[in-house]
mmCIF file of all heavy atoms in Angstrom:
data_model
loop_
_atom_site.group_PDB
_atom_site.id
_atom_site.type_symbol
_atom_site.label_atom_id
_atom_site.label_comp_id
_atom_site.label_asym_id
_atom_site.label_seq_id
_atom_site.Cartn_x
_atom_site.Cartn_y
_atom_site.Cartn_z
ATOM 1 N N ALA R 290 86.722 157.007 125.368
ATOM 2 C CA ALA R 290 86.578 157.632 126.664
ATOM 3 C C ALA R 290 85.330 158.498 126.710
ATOM 4 O O ALA R 290 84.762 158.712 127.825
ATOM 5 C CB ALA R 290 87.846 158.387 127.013
ATOM 6 N N SER R 291 84.927 159.031 125.568
ATOM 7 C CA SER R 291 83.806 159.985 125.555
ATOM 8 C C SER R 291 82.478 159.182 125.448
ATOM 9 O O SER R 291 81.426 159.763 125.403
ATOM 10 C CB SER R 291 83.849 160.982 124.445
ATOM 11 O OG SER R 291 83.726 160.269 123.188
ATOM 12 N N GLY R 292 82.597 157.816 125.329
ATOM 13 C CA GLY R 292 81.395 156.990 125.196
ATOM 14 C C GLY R 292 80.946 156.840 123.730
ATOM 15 O O GLY R 292 79.870 156.280 123.442
ATOM 16 N N THR R 293 81.726 157.336 122.843
ATOM 17 C CA THR R 293 81.367 157.239 121.421
ATOM 18 C C THR R 293 81.686 155.784 120.897
ATOM 19 O O THR R 293 82.782 155.348 121.133
ATOM 20 C CB THR R 293 82.210 158.273 120.575
ATOM 21 O OG1 THR R 293 82.060 159.513 121.183
ATOM 22 C CG2 THR R 293 81.761 158.271 119.153
ATOM 23 N N PRO R 294 80.719 155.164 120.266
ATOM 24 C CA PRO R 294 80.980 153.762 119.733
ATOM 25 C C PRO R 294 82.059 153.777 118.622
ATOM 26 O O PRO R 294 82.007 154.687 117.772
ATOM 27 C CB PRO R 294 79.650 153.271 119.265
ATOM 28 C CG PRO R 294 78.685 154.485 119.315
ATOM 29 C CD PRO R 294 79.314 155.610 119.987
ATOM 30 N N GLN R 295 82.932 152.819 118.696
ATOM 31 C CA GLN R 295 83.957 152.648 117.635
ATOM 32 C C GLN R 295 83.813 151.240 117.084
ATOM 33 O O GLN R 295 83.793 150.330 117.851
ATOM 34 C CB GLN R 295 85.348 152.827 118.244
ATOM 35 C CG GLN R 295 85.605 154.178 118.970
ATOM 36 C CD GLN R 295 85.750 155.291 117.928
ATOM 37 O OE1 GLN R 295 85.955 155.076 116.706
ATOM 38 N NE2 GLN R 295 85.616 156.562 118.411
ATOM 39 N N PRO R 296 83.705 151.108 115.808
ATOM 40 C CA PRO R 296 83.561 149.764 115.222
ATOM 41 C C PRO R 296 84.828 148.882 115.436
ATOM 42 O O PRO R 296 85.939 149.360 115.114
ATOM 43 C CB PRO R 296 83.305 149.978 113.735
ATOM 44 C CG PRO R 296 83.267 151.464 113.519
ATOM 45 C CD PRO R 296 83.703 152.192 114.779
ATOM 46 N N ILE R 297 84.632 147.758 116.019
ATOM 47 C CA ILE R 297 85.732 146.843 116.320
ATOM 48 C C ILE R 297 86.369 146.322 115.021
ATOM 49 O O ILE R 297 87.558 146.044 114.931
ATOM 50 C CB ILE R 297 85.312 145.702 117.261
ATOM 51 C CG1 ILE R 297 84.846 146.267 118.580
ATOM 52 C CG2 ILE R 297 86.415 144.698 117.493
ATOM 53 C CD1 ILE R 297 84.192 145.273 119.518
ATOM 54 N N HIS R 298 85.493 146.169 113.966
ATOM 55 C CA HIS R 298 85.997 145.666 112.687
ATOM 56 C C HIS R 298 87.128 146.510 112.181
ATOM 57 O O HIS R 298 88.125 145.992 111.734
ATOM 58 C CB HIS R 298 84.776 145.686 111.674
ATOM 59 C CG HIS R 298 85.068 145.144 110.371
ATOM 60 N ND1 HIS R 298 85.723 145.832 109.386
ATOM 61 C CD2 HIS R 298 84.845 143.877 109.813
ATOM 62 C CE1 HIS R 298 85.866 145.061 108.303
ATOM 63 N NE2 HIS R 298 85.345 143.895 108.526
ATOM 64 N N ALA R 299 86.984 147.815 112.294
ATOM 65 C CA ALA R 299 88.040 148.703 111.772
ATOM 66 C C ALA R 299 89.330 148.589 112.587
ATOM 67 O O ALA R 299 90.469 148.563 112.088
ATOM 68 C CB ALA R 299 87.599 150.159 111.834
ATOM 69 N N LEU R 300 89.158 148.371 113.927
ATOM 70 C CA LEU R 300 90.308 148.234 114.770
ATOM 71 C C LEU R 300 91.073 146.937 114.503
ATOM 72 O O LEU R 300 92.327 146.890 114.427
ATOM 73 C CB LEU R 300 89.921 148.288 116.282
ATOM 74 C CG LEU R 300 89.217 149.549 116.783
ATOM 75 C CD1 LEU R 300 88.932 149.363 118.281
ATOM 76 C CD2 LEU R 300 90.121 150.748 116.591
ATOM 77 N N TRP R 301 90.308 145.885 114.363
ATOM 78 C CA TRP R 301 90.926 144.538 114.132
ATOM 79 C C TRP R 301 91.555 144.544 112.719
ATOM 80 O O TRP R 301 92.659 144.003 112.584
ATOM 81 C CB TRP R 301 89.874 143.418 114.274
ATOM 82 C CG TRP R 301 90.513 142.058 114.091
ATOM 83 C CD1 TRP R 301 90.277 141.168 113.137
ATOM 84 C CD2 TRP R 301 91.437 141.464 115.026
ATOM 85 N NE1 TRP R 301 91.028 140.006 113.316
ATOM 86 C CE2 TRP R 301 91.728 140.149 114.519
ATOM 87 C CE3 TRP R 301 92.067 141.820 116.204
ATOM 88 C CZ2 TRP R 301 92.645 139.249 115.096
ATOM 89 C CZ3 TRP R 301 92.957 140.950 116.811
ATOM 90 C CH2 TRP R 301 93.264 139.675 116.245
ATOM 91 N N ASN R 302 90.931 145.187 111.805
ATOM 92 C CA ASN R 302 91.486 145.270 110.414
ATOM 93 C C ASN R 302 92.859 145.988 110.502
ATOM 94 O O ASN R 302 93.851 145.558 109.884
ATOM 95 C CB ASN R 302 90.534 146.042 109.509
ATOM 96 C CG ASN R 302 91.019 145.933 108.070
ATOM 97 O OD1 ASN R 302 91.299 144.847 107.557
ATOM 98 N ND2 ASN R 302 91.082 147.077 107.406
ATOM 99 N N ARG R 303 92.868 147.102 111.296
ATOM 100 C CA ARG R 303 94.091 147.856 111.406
ATOM 101 C C ARG R 303 95.212 147.020 112.087
ATOM 102 O O ARG R 303 96.350 146.994 111.632
ATOM 103 C CB ARG R 303 93.795 149.074 112.250
ATOM 104 C CG ARG R 303 94.937 150.070 112.284
ATOM 105 C CD ARG R 303 95.043 150.789 110.958
ATOM 106 N NE ARG R 303 96.013 151.893 110.954
ATOM 107 C CZ ARG R 303 97.304 151.779 110.753
ATOM 108 N NH1 ARG R 303 97.830 150.575 110.549
ATOM 109 N NH2 ARG R 303 98.073 152.796 110.783
ATOM 110 N N ARG R 304 94.867 146.302 113.106
ATOM 111 C CA ARG R 304 95.821 145.473 113.798
ATOM 112 C C ARG R 304 96.355 144.362 112.892
ATOM 113 O O ARG R 304 97.544 144.101 112.769
ATOM 114 C CB ARG R 304 95.172 144.889 115.062
ATOM 115 C CG ARG R 304 96.216 144.173 115.910
ATOM 116 C CD ARG R 304 95.736 142.901 116.551
ATOM 117 N NE ARG R 304 96.898 142.258 117.168
ATOM 118 C CZ ARG R 304 97.647 141.365 116.562
ATOM 119 N NH1 ARG R 304 97.364 140.941 115.346
ATOM 120 N NH2 ARG R 304 98.720 140.811 117.145
ATOM 121 N N HIS R 305 95.393 143.686 112.245
ATOM 122 C CA HIS R 305 95.768 142.570 111.425
ATOM 123 C C HIS R 305 96.682 142.969 110.296
ATOM 124 O O HIS R 305 97.701 142.339 110.025
ATOM 125 C CB HIS R 305 94.419 142.019 110.817
ATOM 126 C CG HIS R 305 94.460 140.613 110.386
ATOM 127 N ND1 HIS R 305 94.597 139.557 111.253
ATOM 128 C CD2 HIS R 305 94.349 140.035 109.170
ATOM 129 C CE1 HIS R 305 94.582 138.406 110.574
ATOM 130 N NE2 HIS R 305 94.382 138.698 109.328
ATOM 131 N N CYS R 306 96.374 144.118 109.672
ATOM 132 C CA CYS R 306 97.204 144.592 108.501
ATOM 133 C C CYS R 306 98.572 145.076 109.012
ATOM 134 O O CYS R 306 99.543 145.013 108.266
ATOM 135 C CB CYS R 306 96.528 145.680 107.785
ATOM 136 S SG CYS R 306 95.054 145.110 106.947
#
Side-chain angles (χ1 to χ4, degrees):
S291 71
T293 309
Q295 301 288 343
I297 298 174
H298 185 278
L300 300 180
W301 184 246
N302 189 49
R303 189 73 172 85
R304 189 218 171 268
H305 203 67
C306 294

